[in-house]
Amino acid sequence: MTKRAMLLEALASTPADVCRLLRPLAAGQLGAPSDRALAEIMLRLIQTEIDFQTAIGVNADGSARVFTVEALVGQVTVPMTALCEQFRLDRDRTLVLLDRLTPAEWQRKVHPLRSTATTVRLYAQKLVESDIKLTSRLVELVQASRRAPDGEQAP
C-alpha cells in the first residue's frame, strides 16, 4: 500500500469513528459538563478541515470559508449529530479533492493558514496526526463522562 493510499484510508475512517464515539450523546448517556468540551473538539476538527481545504485550494476563487472555532466555542447548542455530519461532509470534500490530485500534485507546495509552507502530502500527514490527537482527546472525555445507572462514574 502506498503512503498516499494509507493517508487517504486514515482520513476516510475518522468521521465514522468520531461519530460512533459520540453516539451516546444522542441517547443522553454522557454527563452535561462534558458537552462543551466535546463540542469544542468537534469544532476544532471542522476548523482543521476547512483550513486544509483552503490551503490546498478547494475554493476555486481562492477565498476561505468564514468559520473560526473561537467564534463558535460558546455556541454549544448545536446538536452533536449536526457537528458530526458537518465534519463528515467536510472530510468527504477533502477526500474528493485529494483523490483527484496526481502524484506530482501531492508534492506541490502549499501555504497553510496556521503553519509554515509544506507539501500537500506532508500537510495530509499533519491532518491525520491532528485527527489522532483530537480523537484521543474525545475518547478521554467520553470515558470520563460515562455514568453508571446510579449516577456514579462508570469504571
Side-chain angles (χ1 to χ4, degrees):
M1 181 179 276
T2 66
K3 179 71 169 180
R4 177 181 174 171
M6 288 189 297
L7 288 171
L8 289 171
E9 186 177 309
L11 291 169
S13 68
T14 303
D17 294 342
V18 166
C19 293
R20 184 174 42 255
L21 178 66
L22 297 176
R23 198 170 297 135
L25 279 176
Q29 296 173 2
L30 298 179
S34 67
D35 292 354
R36 181 183 172 116
L38 292 167
E40 287 176 10
I41 291 171
M42 287 305 300
L43 291 170
R44 292 207 184 282
L45 283 164
I46 294 167
Q47 178 69 61
T48 302
E49 204 66 31
I50 292 168
D51 289 351
F52 184 85
Q53 293 170 10
T54 301
I56 63 173
V58 75
N59 296 327
D61 64 359
S63 65
R65 288 172 58 188
V66 178
F67 176 94
T68 60
V69 170
E70 293 75 21
L72 295 175
V73 160
Q75 302 176 17
V76 292
T77 57
V78 176
M80 197 60 64
T81 54
L83 292 174
C84 283
E85 181 61 14
Q86 185 61 53
F87 176 52
R88 187 191 63 75
L89 291 171
D90 283 328
R91 179 53 58 87
D92 286 349
R93 191 175 299 118
T94 296
L95 291 169
V96 167
L97 179 64
L98 288 173
D99 195 48
R100 291 179 181 165
L101 297 178
T102 65
E105 290 171 320
W106 272 72
Q107 300 309 315
R108 178 174 51 96
K109 191 164 282 238
V110 294
H111 302 277
L113 296 174
R114 304 169 202 276
S115 184
T116 58
T118 188
T119 64
V120 172
R121 188 191 73 74
L122 291 175
Y123 197 22
Q125 177 64 45
K126 286 182 183 181
L127 186 57
V128 170
E129 292 166 4
S130 175
D131 283 357
I132 292 168
K133 178 182 169 187
L134 291 171
T135 302
S136 294
R137 183 68 182 126
L138 282 174
V139 168
E140 291 170 5
L141 287 169
V142 168
Q143 288 176 343
S145 297
R146 293 196 189 275
R147 304 265 181 228
D150 63 0
E152 294 179 18
Q153 283 293 105

